[in-house]
Amino acid sequence: MSLVMILAAFGGGVFGALIGGTTAFIFTGFLGMAGVAAAVAAGSTLILDHVAFGPFFGPHVAFVGAVAAAAYAGRISKKRLENAAFLTNPVDAKTVLGDHEDKEKIFAEDDRHVDGADTTVPLFKTTDPMVLIVGGIFGILGYLVQYLYGPVLDIPIDTIALTVVTFAIITRFLFGHSGLTGIFPANEKRFPFSGKMLLFNAIWGFSFAGLVGYAAIALDINNIGFTISAASLIFLYFGLKFPVSHHVSMVAGFAAIALGSPWLAALFGLFAVITGEYVQRLFNTHVDTHVDMPAIVIAIWSFVILGIVAPLI
């Protein structure tokens, strides 16, 4: 802990906001894979510790900062919509622009408009200094809180995931209006899951987690699958229907190393993928800020594995 690290964390939060949270997280994946290669080949974890999971691209810094900055920018966008000049035009605004959704659509064409729950958009487009400052401040706070959870308190949990969850909740109550669990339309089920859909997810979650467990044990590195999953999110930018899988791979990695079994890794991966479906619908649907489903799932199951199951074995 030093002033230099605080400076780095501020920069990490600003840069995360500038390029967008998901983009920053994809860099976490690519740098993480490079770090894993370095660790296996040379026994050095410098890339992992100081770049991929440090103040540069660590999710507790860059992603936390980007999520908060997006939420702030989204709130500003809503205020601009509410105060937009066309709403007070002497001509009947409803006649000219149609219903409220049409007004939002027209307003969204403004390059500065931001959806506060969208972490894929680089906030460079806002040209708003406060957006970057919010990102930098939350980057510092994320770095400090993760330091508290980890080196200081030594909580048996993925402290980076716990930090991301902590600040996602703070961000929602600070900048959002949708409440912790979103505002669902009266005619929409909160959990519209079919047995076929859950079975599909259970199959890929179990299988992928077993594969990750095998690799994690072979390399003795619990985040090998996580880095691959994070990097794979780049395919979302090509418009593909692509799975978000880093909650499954990280939980599997923890189980594989802590419990020494790819079978248990597969089992916990199954738990993770099913939990994720419910968490996504509960906390990140019909909302105006981003609460990260994978971070919640990783925090829950890492605590179960590291804090409850592993001490009993």
Side-chain angles (χ1 to χ4, degrees), residues 208-241:
F208 180 52
L211 176 63
V212 169
Y214 157 77
I217 292 173
L219 298 178
D220 195 27
I221 296 177
N222 63 14
N223 57 19
I224 174 61
F226 177 86
T227 63
I228 294 171
S229 292
S232 75
L233 294 182
I234 194 171
F235 293 107
L236 294 175
Y237 288 87
F238 295 96
L240 300 175
K241 294 290 185 181

Side-chain angles (χ1 to χ4, degrees), residues 22-204:
T22 301
T23 304
F25 185 67
I26 290 169
F27 273 109
T28 302
F30 282 112
L31 270 298
M33 287 193 292
V36 167
V40 172
S44 171
T45 61
L46 289 175
I47 295 176
L48 287 172
D49 296 340
H50 296 284
V51 183
F53 297 104
F56 210 135
F57 290 116
H60 58 300
V61 177
F63 190 76
V64 161
V67 166
Y72 171 79
R75 181 166 181 166
I76 297 302
S77 289
K78 285 185 177 180
K79 287 184 178 179
R80 289 176 52 237
L81 171 61
E82 293 168 357
N83 299 325
F86 61 70
L87 295 181
T88 58
N89 191 294
V91 179
D92 184 358
K94 187 172 183 179
T95 301
V96 175
L97 299 173
D99 60 21
H100 186 63
E101 286 73 22
D102 288 336
K103 297 171 189 175
E104 288 186 338
K105 182 178 180 181
I106 291 171
F107 187 73
E109 294 175 359
D110 186 328
D111 286 341
R112 296 170 294 171
H113 179 71
V114 173
D115 176 355
D118 187 354
T119 61
T120 65
V121 177
L123 299 178
F124 172 80
K125 75 171 189 173
T126 66
T127 67
D128 186 341
M130 276 305 301
V131 169
L132 301 184
I133 290 172
V134 168
I137 291 172
F138 272 78
I140 292 173
L141 293 175
Y143 176 80
L144 294 175
V145 169
Q146 195 278 330
Y147 185 83
L148 173 66
Y149 288 160
V152 176
L153 298 179
D154 195 24
I155 303 174
I157 196 172
D158 186 318
T159 56
I160 289 179
L162 182 59
T163 302
V164 171
V165 174
T166 299
F167 282 100
I169 294 172
I170 291 172
T171 294
R172 175 155 297 175
F173 285 114
L174 189 61
F175 298 123
H177 297 94
S178 59
L180 183 60
T181 56
I183 302 173
F184 275 72
N187 62 346
E188 181 177 339
K189 291 182 179 180
R190 187 174 286 271
F191 304 112
F193 304 139
S194 66
K196 180 180 179 181
M197 177 263 199
L198 291 175
L199 177 61
F200 176 84
N201 282 283
I203 291 172
W204 80 254

